[in-house]
Amino acid sequence: MTDLDALGDFTSVDPKQFAQLVKSAPDSKLADIMNSPQRKTVLDAIFSRFPELFRADRAGSTNAIIHWSITGAPDGGADSYELVIADGACTLSPSPEQDPKLAITVGPVDFLKVVSGVGNPMMMFMTGKLKAKGDLGLAANIANLFDIPKG
């Protein structure tokens, strides 16, 4: 299995391996995965892991609805996910229906870099690669709410 195959079969890769794969893969390979039929599988696997990576000890009394929009879907649209942080827990909502406290929009390659600890979300925000709408204080702190493995 090549590194690219392992990334595409994300469900069998632990978060630390995933971070290392993203770090070592050129952007063109990451883009290939995110433009392939595997995109939805990769995104679903990443978002399904957010609740287990959540750090309740760092969240305090944070209660928030966070919408993630990953642009660049093969149909020209975006894939959207909703995370609900409430009462010291994080859950993945089956579909984004609630009004978000924070909405994040990011391209597919930059998204992979953010969730693998390879990319700097603050720098991406400053350069316009990541857009945040709503509670910018929450946006600045969001990485601290999750135990993001580093590649």
Side-chain angles (χ1 to χ4, degrees):
M1 181 183 303
T2 67
D3 286 353
L4 186 58
D5 293 333
L7 183 59
D9 187 22
F10 178 71
T11 53
S12 67
V13 177
D14 74 43
K16 186 145 183 78
Q17 289 173 308
F18 171 73
Q20 291 168 344
L21 289 170
V22 171
K23 183 177 183 177
S24 65
D27 286 1
S28 61
K29 294 293 186 192
L30 297 175
D32 287 348
I33 283 290
M34 297 308 281
N35 287 320
S36 78
Q38 295 169 312
R39 172 189 169 106
K40 183 83 168 124
T41 302
V42 170
L43 289 174
D44 287 351
I46 290 169
F47 278 99
S48 72
R49 290 187 179 172
F50 268 89
E52 70 189 53
L53 298 174
F54 182 66
R55 295 288 308 264
D57 58 316
R58 295 181 187 169
S61 61
T62 300
N63 287 310
I65 307 296
I66 303 168
H67 285 188
W68 286 85
S69 180
I70 310 346
T71 62
D75 66 2
D79 291 294
S80 298
Y81 293 83
E82 180 177 270
L83 292 176
V84 178
I85 297 174
D87 303 320
C90 175
T91 56
L92 177 63
S93 177
S95 61
E97 295 175 356
Q98 300 181 62
D99 287 333
K101 185 173 188 175
L102 173 64
I104 299 171
T105 303
V106 64
V109 172
D110 290 323
F111 171 73
L112 291 177
K113 290 180 178 183
V114 166
V115 298
S116 64
V118 174
N120 180 331
M122 191 58 70
M123 188 58 70
M124 288 180 188
F125 176 76
M126 301 288 281
T127 59
K129 291 181 176 182
L130 182 149
K131 294 176 177 56
K133 182 178 177 184
D135 187 336
L136 298 183
L138 176 61
N141 189 47
I142 196 166
N144 294 328
L145 299 179
F146 298 92
D147 190 16
I148 304 292
K150 301 284 190 246

